[in-house]
Amino acid sequence: MLEWIVTTLRQHSELAIFLTLGLGYWVGGLKFKNFSLGAVTGVLLTGVLVGQLDIPVSENVKAVFFILFLFAIGYGVGPQFVRGLASDGGPQALFAVVICLLCLGVTYVCVRLGGFDIGFGAGLFAGAQTISAAMGLSTDAIGKLGLPPDKASALLKEIPVAYAVCYFFGTLGTGWILAFLGPKLLGIDLPKACRDYEAKLSHGTPSGGIHSAWHAIDARAYAIEKGGRLDGMTVAAVESGLTNPPIFVERLRQGGRIIEFTPDTVLGAGDVVAVSGHHESLVGVMEKLAVEVEDRELLSIPLESVQLVITKKSVNGRTLLDLAKEPFARGVHLRKITRGAAGIDIPILAQTKLYRGDILKVSGTTNHLDRLAAQIGYEDRPSNMTDMVFVGLAIALGGVLGSVTVPVSGIPITLSSSGGALILGLVAGWLRSVHPTFGRIPAPSLWFMNSVGLNTFIAVVGISSGPSFIAGLRSAGWGLFFWGAVATAVPMLLAPLLAKHVFKIDPALNLGCCGGARTSTASVGMVNDAAQSTIPMLGYTVPYAVSNTLLTMWGLVMVLLLR
């Protein structure tokens, strides 16, 4: 039976890949207190185990899924990447660039001091900096060095060994340094710093909270009297000229029936209108113009919840409190703000700024939501359709442009097809955020391209390197672990100090910026726990977008430096 299973897996390597993915996601999801290996490490270790069966896998499978993953990464971080370079996220973006250069430089020194070759060096960088995608570009770069096939193959098999050895401390060590040593390095009380920052962002909050400013908190029904002021007025006139803040006509009963209406519909005696608005508008004005009546059916106003993606330049960089004062924000309830490819939840506070690419979850009537969407962006309604024309052509164009090779001092310099797809993904994601008429990739599809794309690549790497993995671990294991820990720790010990003294980043955001600059969501989660607040997440998204791009590209650069 066992022999038949092994034979089947060797004959159908696609089954070995799916077996590795299934078991790898399960292993990666196992919790040890607050720590888990994560899907990538789980899949890699499972792939190494399955690879002991000596299963041949086509390199084309690895290439297809990796280029799909890189495009998805670029697409997801594109809006934040551009914002960081072009707006008030500039200092955070520049900070991320400095930390990325520091990570590259420190790792290079560690590789040289440890006496490791190109393969171990590339894997040490990817593991110590927990940037799995760098392995793919390192693989491409090694393949273009013109080495003998047996030498290149040996180097490629060293990459996952070093990655697996260094990743554990890369993840856990980063979180521990930022969450526990970070506040001591900065000399701050982190929870107090976050409370102070939250108080600053809460300045100007209405008595009912910022949520109340985005919510028509009352709805009542009024009967129009013959000869009264409302008799003969249009719906548009009622909504625009009676009160400030304005009221909104939600439903209308004429002749005993609830009817559809337009802004030009004329109201008459005997009509009953359901209106929503601030309590003072209804009580202070409407009660003087019409007779309040009990009409439960009319007041059963259907509400819906949608996601709105901000694309308008006129909204970019404005605060929630400022936007709440606009007429188009009335009648809707703001429930959630999500930012960036990592899906970071942003605190809803009066002075919280919104940017292009942010996703607002709001609820209200269809009319109010359509009005809001017209002013800030577009409604991202549920859809399972991906614009594959856009995706396919963009990846192909990026791959072709990235494959152009420019010789510099005899060294072939190229982004590679994978790097080109990453850059095109950045452009595509940004274009989609400002022109949402094309290039739609629903969130589930983007997750699949991102997570499954990367982990299929990792599964193939693990299976292919399985037979030589144990030998490589024995030959360089403890040395790799030590130098990997140094490469992880040094940049993260210096990062909070650089953020404080050079870039003058607020103490409440400092450690979030550091975690973003290392693309370590887990570490910022630990910082949030230590801070007893989600405020550090406000500093995460721009550095994450910049570093996710640069640290991935450093996989290629590391190979060129070690060549």
Side-chain angles (χ1 to χ4, degrees):
M1 180 65 177
L2 180 60
E3 183 178 349
W4 175 79
I5 292 176
V6 172
T7 301
T8 300
L9 292 177
R10 286 173 177 167
Q11 293 175 346
H12 302 279
S13 58
E14 68 274 15
L15 301 181
I17 293 174
F18 283 111
L19 175 65
T20 299
L21 287 173
L23 292 177
Y25 271 93
W26 175 71
V27 170
L30 295 177
K31 292 282 187 179
F32 304 94
K33 294 185 178 181
N34 293 324
F35 177 77
S36 63
L37 290 174
V40 173
T41 305
V43 168
L44 176 60
L45 295 178
T46 303
V48 168
L49 182 62
V50 173
Q52 302 305 312
L53 302 178
D54 198 16
I55 298 172
V57 182
S58 170
E59 291 294 305
N60 291 333
V61 176
K62 182 171 66 173
V64 167
F65 279 93
F66 185 67
I67 201 170
L68 192 67
F69 156 73
L70 282 184
F71 178 81
I73 282 290
Y75 183 93
V77 304
Q80 285 71 42
F81 184 89
V82 174
R83 177 172 74 83
L85 299 180
S87 70
D88 59 0
Q92 293 183 5
L94 183 58
F95 169 73
V97 172
V98 171
I99 297 305
C100 287
L101 290 171
L102 186 62
C103 289
L104 177 67
V106 170
T107 305
Y108 175 78
V109 171
C110 288
V111 171
R112 287 303 192 194
L113 292 177
F116 302 114
D117 60 17
I118 296 175
F120 280 129
L124 189 152
F125 173 79
Q129 311 307 333
T130 62
I131 187 72
S132 313
M135 286 195 290
L137 292 187
S138 294
T139 298
D140 289 347
I142 289 174
K144 290 180 170 59
L145 291 180
L147 299 173
D150 57 337
K151 175 62 174 176
S153 176
L155 293 177
L156 293 177
K157 290 177 180 179
E158 291 173 353
I159 294 177
V161 176
Y163 173 86
V165 171
C166 299
Y167 179 85
F168 178 82
F169 187 84
T171 299
L172 193 61
T174 298
W176 184 80
I177 290 170
L178 292 183
F180 299 104
L181 291 184
K184 294 180 175 61
L185 290 171
L186 297 174
I188 61 170
D189 180 339
L190 185 58
K192 182 179 183 302
C194 290
R195 289 194 299 270
D196 292 344
Y197 194 84
E198 184 169 345
K200 183 167 63 175
L201 287 185
S202 299
H203 177 71
T205 301
S207 58
I210 189 62
H211 287 277
S212 69
W214 279 72
H215 183 38
I217 57 177
D218 207 354
R220 299 190 180 196
Y222 295 92
I224 297 175
E225 298 179 292
K226 184 176 180 59
R229 184 176 172 185
L230 300 184
D231 188 7
M233 291 185 69
T234 64
V235 170
V238 170
E239 292 186 337
S240 63
L242 291 181
T243 65
N244 185 25
I247 61 173
F248 298 100
V249 177
E250 303 287 0
R251 306 183 83 188
L252 172 62
R253 185 188 295 278
Q254 281 187 343
R257 296 183 301 107
I258 297 175
I259 66 168
E260 297 292 331
F261 62 90
T262 68
D264 296 325
T265 299
V266 178
L267 305 178
D271 292 350
V272 181
V273 292
V275 297
S276 66
H278 280 206
H279 180 78
E280 59 269 22
S281 296
L282 300 181
V283 174
V285 178
M286 282 300 295
E287 285 190 352
K288 300 175 182 178
L289 303 176
V291 178
E292 185 174 2
V293 296
E294 180 73 18
D295 193 330
R296 293 188 178 183
E297 181 185 9
L298 194 66
L299 288 172
S300 298
I301 302 171
L303 302 176
E304 62 175 328
S305 293
V306 299
Q307 291 186 336
L308 301 182
V309 181
I310 295 178
T311 63
K312 301 291 187 180
K313 188 176 181 179
S314 59
V315 177
N316 192 57
R318 294 179 64 182
T319 66
L320 289 180
L321 183 61
D322 185 28
L323 291 172
K325 298 174 182 177
E326 297 284 356
F328 58 74
R330 302 300 178 186
V332 297
H333 187 90
L334 177 62
R335 299 184 177 276
K336 186 179 181 181
I337 306 172
T338 304
R339 179 174 297 163
I344 299 301
D345 289 343
I346 300 301
I348 300 177
L349 300 169
Q351 301 301 324
T352 296
K353 291 184 178 181
L354 298 181
Y355 297 98
R356 282 180 175 179
D358 285 355
I359 300 174
L360 310 185
K361 184 175 182 180
V362 293
S363 61
T365 64
T366 300
N367 289 338
H368 295 329
L369 294 176
D370 288 346
R371 183 183 64 251
L372 178 64
Q375 295 296 324
I376 71 170
Y378 71 98
E379 295 184 20
D380 190 21
R381 294 184 178 272
S383 171
N384 57 1
M385 297 294 292
T386 296
D387 187 350
M388 282 306 301
V389 173
F390 174 80
V391 172
L393 293 179
I395 292 177
L397 177 61
V400 170
L401 295 177
S403 296
V404 175
T405 301
V406 178
V408 177
S409 300
I411 300 175
I413 303 298
T414 175
L415 285 174
S416 79
S417 59
S418 302
L422 173 65
I423 300 302
L424 244 293
L426 286 170
V427 175
W430 174 75
L431 285 175
R432 169 69 182 174
S433 72
V434 295
H435 300 290
T437 56
F438 63 91
R440 175 181 174 79
I441 305 179
S445 298
L446 194 63
W447 177 89
F448 182 88
M449 293 167 65
N450 194 324
S451 181
V452 179
L454 173 62
N455 282 297
T456 301
F457 165 79
I458 294 296
V460 175
V461 168
I463 293 170
S464 301
S465 63
S468 59
F469 188 90
I470 303 300
L473 188 62
R474 287 174 177 170
S475 66
W478 286 110
L480 278 172
F481 182 85
F482 172 77
W483 289 111
V486 173
T488 294
V490 172
M492 287 299 95
L493 289 170
L494 295 176
L497 300 176
L498 289 171
K500 176 182 179 180
H501 297 292
V502 178
F503 293 91
K504 309 300 181 183
I505 294 174
D506 191 282
L509 306 183
N510 185 308
L511 300 176
C513 288
C514 295
R518 266 291 314 279
T519 66
S520 177
T521 306
S523 70
V524 182
M526 294 173 69
V527 170
N528 284 348
D529 290 342
Q532 303 168 25
S533 170
T534 59
I535 288 295
M537 282 296 187
L538 289 172
Y540 180 81
T541 53
V542 169
Y544 173 87
V546 173
S547 293
N548 215 345
T549 304
L550 290 183
L551 289 177
T552 298
M553 298 300 298
W554 282 181
L556 173 117
V557 175
M558 180 60 71
V559 171
L560 295 178
L561 290 175
L562 295 173
R563 181 178 182 266

